[in-house]
Amino acid sequence: MLTINEIKNLKNKRKIIALTAYDYLMAYYLEKAGVDIILVGDSLGMVFCGYKNTLPVTVDDMIYHIKAVERGAKNTFIVADMPFMSYQDSVLSAKRNAGKILKETTVKAVKLEGGIEIIPQIKALIDIGIPVMGHIGTQPQSVNKYGGYPIAGNTPEEIDKLMKSALELEKAGVFSIVLEKVKAKTAALITKSIKIPTIGIGSGPWCDGQILVTHDLLGAFPDFTPKFIKKYDNISSKIINTIKKFIKDVKNKKYPTKKYYF
Ligand code: KIV
């Protein structure tokens, strides 16, 4: 399993690979395939629970899923998302909730969405020994503020704010920063300007690593496909067709045959 320092040292050596998991089996597959980091993302709210966005996810939901993931990937560095309103309101909330996650699971780090506005929370966590991954650009927990998931880094003011946030996050001590849906040239500029790795999602090829929601790359999440997703397969239609075969067999009395009963 990689350590925080080994992850930082991958910058300028090779690309960092991070993917999401919410359950034991997916975590097992990701470890077998050799990813560097597994994120138990609050995207589980949409992908696993079927909510419209990530806002309903609670700290207890996260802990339930992290426990399943850690059983499936005992040798992979796991990061836990801090869900909406588990840190935004105060430094105390951030410490209590991140502390609860680290006490009740074996994750080594948490991820918080936000830049300059949450530096006090991030600094407080790092000061008490909780490693933090930053997350700037599109922030899904702010979906109601933006009315969706807009591209970040469009105007000089936005670029300036993103750059300031990245520099402040680095100064606060985060070990890496997720750049979500940041214009590729801005993401490249940020990547060059900081010494810690950037991990892009929809932010172009010049980030130090890439992260995706695993179900998206598998073609397993039919509800919504952002432009930056390359579907490497179409698992959802394979699953549906396989289940259809089972239904047909049972209806036609072709299952179970003698081979499959005692
Ligand atoms: O919740 C999530 O899955 C994320 C992404 C960066 C993949 O935050």
Side-chain angles (χ1 to χ4, degrees):
M1 183 187 311
L2 290 171
T3 63
I4 297 277
N5 281 335
E6 284 167 343
I7 292 170
K8 285 199 210 165
N9 288 335
L10 287 175
K11 189 172 176 102
N12 300 323
K13 292 208 179 77
R14 70 154 171 87
K15 295 284 185 187
I16 297 167
I17 313 298
L19 285 172
T20 57
Y22 319 123
D23 64 281
Y24 168 82
L25 261 187
M26 187 65 84
Y28 174 87
Y29 298 145
L30 295 186
E31 180 162 293
K32 281 269 174 243
V35 304
D36 298 310
I37 298 172
I38 294 178
L39 172 71
V40 186
D42 62 352
S43 51
L44 69 85
M46 295 162 87
V47 180
F48 188 88
C49 303
Y51 297 136
K52 269 199 156 32
N53 55 48
T54 61
L55 304 194
V57 177
T58 65
V59 170
D60 287 333
D61 292 336
M62 291 305 302
I63 289 172
Y64 174 82
H65 286 277
I66 296 162
K67 284 186 169 172
V69 168
E70 67 191 11
R71 286 182 214 116
K74 294 199 173 66
N75 297 307
T76 305
F77 191 91
I78 301 173
V79 178
D81 248 345
M82 294 280 288
F84 181 57
M85 288 316 292
S86 67
Y87 63 93
Q88 283 91 343
D89 62 328
S90 68
V91 163
L92 190 60
S93 288
K95 288 205 249 186
R96 289 219 170 119
N97 288 315
K100 180 172 160 75
I101 291 172
L102 262 77
K103 276 180 89 69
E104 293 183 25
T105 72
T106 61
V107 291
K108 303 262 183 301
V110 293
K111 174 167 81 59
L112 277 68
E113 284 181 20
I116 297 172
E117 67 286 1
I118 56 154
I119 293 298
Q121 285 92 323
I122 289 178
K123 257 188 83 38
L125 294 184
I126 295 167
D127 284 350
I128 59 168
I130 301 179
V132 176
M133 177 183 266
H135 180 160
I136 56 174
T138 295
Q139 292 168 210
Q141 291 178 15
S142 302
V143 60
N144 290 325
K145 178 171 165 189
Y146 298 108
Y149 304 99
I151 299 161
N154 274 314
T155 62
E157 295 75 40
E158 272 183 35
I159 297 172
D160 193 48
K161 191 174 173 216
L162 281 169
M163 184 59 83
K164 274 194 190 130
S165 286
L167 292 170
E168 285 295 317
L169 286 171
E170 179 180 35
K171 211 163 109 197
V174 304
F175 69 95
S176 61
I177 305 178
V178 168
L179 300 179
E180 179 160 353
K181 267 177 104 174
V182 173
K183 281 250 175 141
K185 286 200 175 142
T186 306
L189 194 67
I190 293 171
T191 301
K192 264 198 210 143
S193 309
I194 57 178
K195 292 194 181 68
I196 50 168
T198 59
I199 306 184
I201 170 161
S203 299
W206 298 293
C207 297
D208 299 303
Q210 295 291 327
I211 181 162
L212 285 178
V213 168
T214 307
H215 291 70
D216 284 340
L217 81 87
L218 293 175
F221 187 60
D223 289 3
F224 157 76
T225 307
K227 169 183 157 61
F228 57 83
I229 298 299
K230 176 173 173 185
K231 285 193 183 180
Y232 284 81
D233 209 325
N234 193 349
I235 296 291
S236 58
S237 64
K238 282 187 179 157
I239 293 174
I240 293 165
N241 286 334
T242 306
I243 306 293
K244 278 185 176 167
K245 282 184 198 160
F246 170 74
I247 294 172
K248 200 169 153 209
D249 269 7
V250 174
K251 284 187 175 166
N252 293 332
K253 301 185 177 139
K254 291 205 165 133
Y255 178 86
T257 51
K258 202 162 178 11
K259 185 177 169 196
Y260 299 106
Y261 59 82
F262 304 97

